[in-house]
Amino acid sequence: MRPTMKDVAAEAGVALKTVSRVVNNEPGVNAATADRVRAAIERLGYSRNESARVLRQGRTSSIGLVIEDVGDPFYSGVSRAVEDVAIRHGSLVLSGSSAEEPARERELVLTFCARRVDGLIVVPAGADHSYLRSELAAGTPAVFVDRPAGPGLDVDTVLCDNRGGARMATAHLLAHGHRRVAFLGDSPTIFTAGERERGYREALGDLVDERLISMAHPELDRVRADLDRMLGMDEPPTALFTGNGRLTMTVLRALAGRRMALIGFDDFELADLLSPGVSVVSQDSAGLGRVSAEMLFRRIAGGGGPAERVQLPVRLIPRGSGELPPEAPRRS
């Protein structure tokens, strides 16, 4: 028969309320008594009834996390940081990948809400989040991270300086003599991709050539075809700016030994060991996860006030690839 809290109280020789305080990490129990209760818990093999606790407190000590792809190194950094904060708050993280599909994002969010999570952290895949209004009205707080929520939803948001980072990268290439700078970005429907394209355009100004811009899913065949087309122009690009880490690695494969100046948005593993090392604009994925989780737990604890919008800085890490001279590349 499963031991109860009353059994623990009898074993430790204390009041039932004392056991409850120890089990729930509440103050008001001296250290010696708490140790005696914990020893009784261990001897009896007692574990608290989570279902009963949820019914009493109305909380599940869990949060839902929806990201683009749990296998992506950038989002893995976000997820790990969220978990670290959640553990400090005695909470579990339920997570899932949207795969950039709005319907899948909606399904994951509503599934987490059905499981009565205490709050949500969402990397949005779509622009329509009206499905969340009833959950927010019912008191479930949400924080959007990496990308903002769609129109009409006023929620806490944590972003990185995507446009500023793209301006910084493009200006760095201009400072090294490049005037023909190509941009390969992700799908233009993605907020971060659009912001990085805008930053690139702002830095280039009148030097923008629409033929040197490609915005689509980072597939190797597509990237290779775009590079072949650009490098076959009468005035080919002498430098490339790539819009995320996956695109940077895809471009490195597509170049296949061709030497070009290159700066990528997002750092990636082994980027510093290539020759030359890959220069990048680095954003803090762990910072995004940590700040969004801390913001969410403040809301869960009852923190009020208007929705906040936080933008984290980025930094340029020059390693050699973005500092190559503007020599016209040879088409292979």
Side-chain angles (χ1 to χ4, degrees), residues 37 39 42-43 47 63 103 121 131 238 286 292 298 329 331-332:
V37 171
E42 187 173 347
R43 284 196 300 273
S47 61
I63 63 172
I121 296 175
Y131 68 85
T238 63
S292 61
R298 284 198 300 272
R331 184 179 180 184
S332 60

Side-chain angles (χ1 to χ4, degrees), residues 23-67:
V23 168
N24 292 293
N25 295 314
E26 296 175 2
V29 181
N30 69 57
T33 301
D35 287 343
R36 195 161 74 247
V37 171
R38 293 189 190 99
I41 288 172
E42 187 173 347
R43 284 196 300 273
L44 295 175
Y46 168 79
S47 61
R48 65 184 181 182
N49 188 324
E50 290 296 322
S51 298
R53 184 185 64 81
V54 168
L55 290 173
R56 287 196 311 274
Q57 299 182 356
R59 289 181 54 184
T60 61
S61 292
S62 64
I63 63 172
L65 171 65
V66 178
I67 55 180

